[in-house]
Amino acid sequence: MADVRALADPRKGGRGPGSTGLAEAAEYIARRFRDCGLAPAGEAGGYFQAWRTPPPGGGESLERRNVIAELPGSDPALRDRPLIVCAHYDHLGPDPAGRPRPGADDNASGVALMLALAARMTAAEKPARPVRFIAFDGEEQGMLGASHYLETLPAAERQTLMAVVNLDGVGRLGARKPLVIGGGSAREWKFIFMGAGYTTGLESDLAAENLRSGDQAVFIDRGIPAIQISGGPHEDYHLAGDTADKIDIAGMGRIAAVV
């Protein structure tokens, strides 16, 4: 919840494109990656991958930044077969009335869960394969960060990505089951979530279709197995009411167990 509150702080103005609040969020995530003990995996030995895009309404181009870190694996044979865990950290900025849209569920919740997973994994025995953690920019304008990341990844490396788990909108689960979108992108997903349900006692709703609901769609388009895990839709989606006080922390814990 500390991470949710920090990212969804109204003083960040809703983390709109090119905003100071969005830049502050990127710096915050990089610090948290470093605190978790993750190695930087961006450009020039740092955590950031930067590029520029035209702004939504025209004018001077905006700087965009993905924030990337990695937990090395223990098996040298799997060194080139990483798993990506990702969450977008951008949002929409103020609404037409000038009210901040904090984006607590969309998607401070997903970033917070990604950071919690990173902290847990760095404190435990190393996984066999590398796990790459990425906070993507530009999802709200058409999955720009995920697209840029894939476009700049060498073709050989793109072909050896194991899979992608995208955490997007995990903060308002309530009494529902976790929703898994893109479950048809690999035949193994069905059985993985059957196993997760057995070991946690928490069933998931698996949607096979590529619903283009988040950054996972960019990877599926390239033939890479990818899913989005979500708590499902709610009435505050993309509105000023998506605030940190409405986050279901117990539900986030249940989703975390499945992840």
Side-chain angles (χ1 to χ4, degrees):
M1 278 305 302
D3 288 328
V4 171
R5 292 189 190 101
L7 293 167
D9 188 328
R11 290 174 294 185
K12 287 188 170 56
R15 307 187 307 279
S19 67
T20 300
L22 185 65
E24 290 173 351
E27 297 288 345
Y28 178 89
I29 294 165
R31 288 196 302 273
R32 291 287 287 111
F33 278 160
R34 185 172 60 247
D35 293 344
C36 289
L38 295 174
E43 298 168 331
Y47 287 101
F48 299 116
Q49 179 189 40
W51 76 105
R52 302 191 74 86
T53 65
E60 187 178 349
S61 64
L62 301 177
E63 182 178 72
R64 305 279 189 170
R65 290 194 293 179
N66 293 330
V67 193
I68 311 173
E70 187 163 306
L71 176 63
S74 61
D75 186 346
L78 298 175
R79 183 178 56 192
D80 299 324
R81 298 283 289 163
L83 167 72
I84 289 177
V85 177
C86 61
H88 78 90
Y89 73 97
D90 64 303
H91 198 49
L92 297 168
D95 69 10
R99 297 173 297 182
R101 288 178 281 193
D105 185 40
D106 185 19
N107 184 36
S109 67
V111 175
L113 183 51
M114 178 179 67
L115 293 170
L117 182 64
R120 174 65 64 89
M121 294 185 75
T122 53
E125 185 178 348
K126 274 188 179 181
R129 74 177 66 255
V131 180
R132 195 169 298 161
F133 296 90
I134 309 178
F136 283 125
D137 190 1
E139 189 271 351
E140 299 288 5
Q141 287 77 51
M143 309 170 203
L144 300 179
S147 297
H148 178 77
Y149 175 77
L150 266 182
E151 287 167 5
T152 56
L153 205 62
E157 194 172 342
R158 206 161 48 226
Q159 292 168 4
T160 59
L161 289 177
M162 180 65 182
V164 176
V165 176
N166 179 31
L167 305 173
D168 192 348
V170 296
R172 300 278 286 268
L173 182 63
R176 297 173 294 188
K177 299 176 183 177
L179 177 61
V180 181
I181 300 168
S185 61
R187 62 182 179 272
E188 293 90 348
W189 289 126
K190 174 183 177 181
F191 302 103
I192 287 170
F193 281 93
M194 286 173 61
Y198 179 79
T199 55
T200 63
L202 300 165
E203 293 184 10
S204 301
D205 279 333
L206 193 72
E209 299 81 10
N210 180 13
L211 299 179
R212 309 201 68 76
S213 55
D215 287 320
Q216 78 285 344
V218 173
F219 294 90
I220 294 174
D221 289 345
R222 295 292 191 102
I224 299 163
I227 52 167
Q228 175 189 345
I229 299 180
S230 173
H234 53 80
E235 67 277 6
D236 291 318
Y237 177 70
H238 280 186
L239 298 177
D242 185 11
T243 52
D245 60 296
K246 296 179 182 177
I247 291 295
D248 172 17
I249 189 64
M252 279 187 71
R254 293 196 296 276
I255 294 176
V258 171
V259 176

